[in-house]
Amino acid sequence: MKLSRRIGYAVTYYLGTAILKTWRIKNINKEPYNESRRAGKSSVVVLWHDSLLPLAFSHYKDSIATIASDSKDGDLIAYILEKWGYKLARGSSTRGGMKAAMKLVKLCKTNKISAAITVDGPKGPRHEAKSGAVFIAKCLDNEIYAVTLKTDSFIRFNSWDKFIFPKPFAKVEVWYSNVFKVSPEKDEKSLKEDTERLQNFMIARTNYVCSKFI
């Protein structure tokens, strides 16, 4: 990596992290997830793409793994996530997605940590769950925890996901669901059924936490 790019990444990380640390983050109902972690299980934390930044930062310095694009554009995101303590499986979730998913599964099993996945990413449609998170959960301990965002002050971007950026000093609530179990079977029918159940579960959770984010 060129020195100029390395300096740019460092400035972005330190300045950005300083701003995000002004958020007043409160975790709600995190104990079921924490209990699963204490039991040594590798669960999957799922979230909508619009809430990616605040929910990723809420796991600052936690032991958790995720997928980051192996493209040049993904290098900055990977740099920041690693600084935040994430372990990364580099790869495309659309091109060769299975390879990236299996890298993530191996990371979680080797390090006995959880995975984090945006279920409607990387390109949508918005709030429409794809099967990747369910497949990864089936390869681990069949447990999913949905996390949902609620904040009192934010900017919403005009992007496909309507990306949410809480303003400095905003109150940020991170709502954890109770465990969502998937079946261990990996056949196409089971994968489809569990993905449909997860879709309904996450929409219900989002409605419950804050309907204006739908």
Side-chain angles (χ1 to χ4, degrees), residues 77-181:
I77 295 172
Y79 176 89
I80 291 172
L81 288 174
E82 286 184 326
K83 285 286 189 180
W84 286 354
Y86 283 77
K87 293 188 181 299
L88 301 181
R90 299 295 302 271
S92 171
S93 56
T94 54
R95 184 184 67 257
M98 181 61 71
K99 186 176 180 180
M102 295 315 297
K103 284 182 182 178
L104 182 60
V105 168
K106 184 177 180 179
L107 259 181
C108 293
K109 287 184 174 181
T110 300
N111 296 279
K112 296 183 179 179
I113 57 178
S114 296
I117 297 291
T118 54
V119 292
D120 56 346
K123 296 181 180 180
R126 180 177 184 262
H127 287 193
E128 188 172 306
K130 298 176 181 177
S131 61
V134 170
F135 175 78
I136 291 167
K138 288 173 179 286
C139 292
L140 295 172
D141 289 311
N142 305 311
E143 290 191 355
I144 289 177
Y145 292 88
V147 289
T148 313
L149 172 70
K150 183 177 180 181
T151 180
D152 62 350
S153 180
F154 63 95
I155 298 168
R156 192 187 289 276
F157 287 75
N158 187 27
S159 54
W160 71 264
D161 60 351
K162 299 183 181 178
F163 193 81
I164 297 164
F165 184 90
K167 295 178 181 179
F169 304 101
K171 180 180 179 182
V172 176
E173 293 181 354
V174 181
W175 290 65
Y176 288 76
S177 73
N178 291 327
V179 64
F180 176 93
K181 298 287 287 187

Side-chain angles (χ1 to χ4, degrees), residues 26-42:
K26 180 180 180 181
N27 293 315
I28 298 173
N29 194 46
K30 193 177 181 180
E31 184 54 32
Y33 168 74
N34 287 340
E35 181 61 32
S36 175
R37 294 295 301 116
R38 285 193 291 269
K41 294 181 179 180
S42 293

Side-chain angles (χ1 to χ4, degrees), residues 1-69:
M1 185 189 299
K2 292 181 179 180
L3 179 60
S4 59
R5 182 179 298 174
R6 192 181 303 123
I7 292 172
Y9 284 6
V11 169
T12 301
Y13 164 74
Y14 286 109
L15 180 60
T17 301
I19 293 172
L20 304 193
K21 281 185 175 181
T22 68
W23 292 341
R24 294 168 292 152
I25 297 176
K26 180 180 180 181
N27 293 315
I28 298 173
N29 194 46
K30 193 177 181 180
E31 184 54 32
Y33 168 74
N34 287 340
E35 181 61 32
S36 175
R37 294 295 301 116
R38 285 193 291 269
K41 294 181 179 180
S42 293
S43 53
V44 178
V45 174
V46 297
L47 55 145
W48 298 127
H49 201 277
D50 58 14
S51 307
L52 173 59
L53 180 60
L55 296 185
F57 186 69
S58 72
H59 285 270
Y60 181 78
K61 298 303 182 183
D62 283 354
S63 294
I64 199 163
T66 192
I67 295 173
S69 172

